[in-house]
Structure formats: C-alpha cells, structure tokens
Amino acid sequence: GDVQGHDTHAAAVMGQLRIVLRAYAAEGHTPATVMARASIFLHELDTDRFATCLYAEADLSTGVVQVVRAGHIDPLVRLNDGTCRRVAVDGGLPLGLSAEFGSLEYPVCAMELDPGHSLVLCTDGLVEQPGADLDDGMRALVESIAAGPEDVRALADRLIEMAEKRGGDDDVALLVLRRRALTERRPLGRLQHHVAPGDPEALTRARHMIRSTVRSWGARERSDEIELVADELITNALMHTEGAAIVTLRVLSGTDRRLRVEVEDSSSALPRRREPGEQGVSGRGLLLVDRLTDVWGVEARGGGKCMWCEFVVPERA
C-alpha cells in the first residue's frame, strides 16, 4: 500500500491503515470486504489523505491467489521460463475515495501460481522514473524482473539496488512471493471444463470427463464419490444462476495426496444447509457433499463464488 504524501502524517496514517487491514483480514472477511471496510475507516479518519492498495490472499496448497486492487499498480508474475508479465486487475478507487464517492465495489481477480512462478507486488516508488511515463516504468520493471536472478531474495535485492541508483524522493515497498517447485513429485494434474447452461448434453459430457480424468489420475476407488459430488455442485450452479459453471479438477501434493474439485458460478449467494425431511428432495445436496468429501468449503470469486471439496486419494504406484 501507499498513502498519499511523503511526510510524517502520511507515515502515521499508513501505520493505522496497516493495523485495520490486518484486523479485517484476521476476522476472515473476503478480500473485497477487507478493502471496502478499510476505505470506510480511512474516510472516517481525521485526515484528507487517500491510499492505494493491492491486497492478495494466497492459498498455499493450490497456488490460487485472489487479488483486489484499489488504485494501485498491477501485480507482476515471473514464469518458469524466465519471462515476466503484467497481470491486469480490474480495480476500484483508492481507499478513502471509494467511501467518499459511495463506490465500494472491488472486483476480485483470481489467478494461479504454478510451482516455480513468482508474484511481485510493489509501490510506484520502484517504477516511477523522472520524466518517464508510468507505463514505460512498468515495462522497464518487467524487463528487469525477467533478467534478474531466480532466487527471490537476490531478485528483491537487485530491484532495490536499481531503485536506489535511479534516485528519487518516493519510498519503495516490495514483496516477492515464489511458489516452490515440486522436485520430488510428478507434475500436479489439472483440468478445467466449462459447462454451458441450457445444454442438456453438457452435464453428461462433464460427468464423463470427470470420471475418466479421476481414473487416469489413479483415484479409481473414489471416482464414483467424486463424480457424484461434482455432479451435485454443477447441477446446483446451473439451476441457481444464469451463467455457466466452471469445473476445475486438480491434484494437490502435501502431507497426503488429495484431489480437489472446484465449481465456480456467477452468483454471490452462499449455499445454506437445510434439513430435507423424510420425503423432501431439496436440501440433500450439501448433506451429500458433507458425507462424501474429506473437506469442503465456499469462497468468493470475482462477482460470484466457488464451491470446492477435497478427497484424500492414495499415491499411485
């Protein structure tokens, strides 16, 4: 984050804003809610300053990163081949201003870091150069990251040294996060499939895709459970929203081997568990998901949500 100004008052505001951001995050709010509440806090603070901010929440097991941007510069990602790219994130107004103008919507961008990829977040003090356009500075930063060392600490040192040599009055904040490469295991499996609404055959094709993929990944003994749960999640997404359902299957590597199923839809409404009753049909979906999976949950994704569940599967011989 970066508060407007370079004086002690700006530093004091940043200290307060940092505390409330951490507090809202610790309460378990979604990234968009954290940003909206921080904006309201800054607006109600006795100051005329605003602040830009880039907030990222990383799932260390899957590499999925949810990013929210409030008037800040975009994040950068360095890939395994050494190339670097700028990730365009739809953003909202800077903190303080969004509350003042009643525009507290902060779109969430979901991205995924593969093993070996590095995420770079920084303030404009690392980018701005005297007499140069901000876009030119971003392109120069992309080139510097691509040409820099692979080790995150060495890369961070290199970028800070370059900023110091360039000079300037602005301070610099830099964060480099690298997802460790998996050297002792095979590459993780991952497959994504779109299920269009209004297509009677789409759900059938999705079932076949899920069944064949799960069995090819060596999880045949749980393929029926995984297919049944995925079918339930996809059906609910198609029934209760007007858009497509996006199904993602991936293998997670850690203390145990898990197969994760994610179903994204365009509705922000969270599912509610209901007692179906003896003769009822509605309400049995989440009960089935809870009984057949090892763990499941729901999280916000952009303007919609993602229902996810995981199944522990034995390592293939």
Side-chain angles (χ1 to χ4, degrees):
D2 194 8
V3 172
Q4 177 191 19
H6 306 289
D7 52 13
T8 54
H9 182 57
V13 172
M14 175 57 80
Q16 292 175 288
L17 190 57
R18 182 182 181 189
I19 291 172
V20 299
L21 278 165
R22 293 177 65 90
Y24 292 144
E27 288 178 352
H29 297 294
T30 64
T33 301
V34 170
M35 293 289 261
R37 292 195 173 195
S39 183
I40 294 172
F41 168 83
L42 186 56
H43 178 58
E44 295 177 347
L45 202 61
D46 186 21
T47 179
D48 57 353
R49 308 297 176 96
F50 65 85
T52 66
C53 185
L54 189 69
Y55 180 92
E57 184 176 294
D59 184 328
L60 301 183
S61 63
T62 64
V64 173
V65 183
Q66 297 184 72
V67 183
V68 180
R69 188 173 68 87
H72 205 77
I73 58 178
D74 288 318
L76 304 171
V77 173
R78 174 171 165 157
L79 308 180
N80 287 322
D81 60 3
T83 60
C84 181
R85 62 183 177 89
R86 179 177 178 177
V87 180
V89 177
D90 291 334
L93 293 173
L95 303 182
L97 292 183
S98 62
E100 180 178 351
F101 293 107
S103 180
L104 290 170
E105 296 295 324
Y106 286 102
V108 179
C109 170
M111 55 188 290
E112 186 166 352
L113 291 180
D114 285 335
H117 287 190
S118 296
L119 176 68
V120 180
L121 311 181
C122 65
T123 56
D124 55 12
L126 190 66
V127 177
E128 290 181 332
Q129 303 181 32
D133 182 75
L134 182 62
D135 287 335
D136 293 335
M138 288 294 289
R139 281 190 286 269
L141 179 59
V142 166
E143 294 174 358
S144 299
I145 294 173
E150 182 177 340
D151 178 76
V152 290
R153 298 179 187 277
L155 176 61
D157 289 341
R158 174 79 62 82
L159 296 176
I160 293 298
E161 289 172 2
M162 292 173 59
E164 290 176 343
K165 290 180 180 178
R166 188 170 63 241
D169 298 327
D170 205 356
D171 53 356
V172 174
L174 171 66
L175 183 147
V176 185
L177 172 71
R178 183 171 186 265
R179 189 178 181 198
R180 290 176 178 170
L182 302 173
T183 57
E184 298 179 355
R185 295 181 181 264
R186 292 175 297 278
L188 300 182
R190 184 177 65 198
L191 186 70
Q192 191 170 80
H193 185 73
H194 289 241
V195 184
D199 182 356
E201 301 298 323
L203 194 53
T204 301
R205 291 194 296 269
R207 290 194 198 103
H208 291 163
M209 181 272 296
I210 292 168
R211 185 185 308 122
S212 60
T213 301
V214 168
R215 293 184 177 184
S216 70
W217 286 348
R220 178 180 295 270
E221 67 283 352
R222 301 204 68 177
S223 61
D224 290 341
E225 298 173 5
I226 295 171
E227 181 185 348
L228 183 58
V229 169
D231 178 72
E232 177 66 30
L233 296 181
I234 297 169
T235 301
N236 283 343
L238 296 177
M239 285 180 59
H240 301 298
T241 67
E242 298 179 354
I246 303 174
V247 188
T248 304
L249 275 69
R250 53 166 61 88
V251 177
L252 309 181
S253 179
T255 55
D256 49 25
R257 185 169 178 264
R258 293 172 176 253
L259 194 147
R260 180 179 174 105
V261 178
E262 298 179 354
V263 178
E264 296 182 59
D265 61 52
S266 57
S267 172
S268 60
L270 300 180
R272 293 182 296 109
R273 294 186 63 169
R274 302 189 303 274
E275 292 297 330
E278 293 184 3
Q279 304 297 326
V281 175
S282 177
R284 296 188 184 276
L286 287 184
L287 180 62
L288 181 140
V289 171
D290 188 58
R291 292 288 178 85
L292 295 182
T293 65
D294 292 295
V295 62
W296 66 277
V298 59
E299 60 187 38
R301 289 280 179 89
K305 66 178 178 299
C306 171
M307 287 286 296
W308 60 268
C309 54
E310 295 177 5
F311 301 81
V312 176
V313 293
E315 191 71 42
R316 290 185 296 184

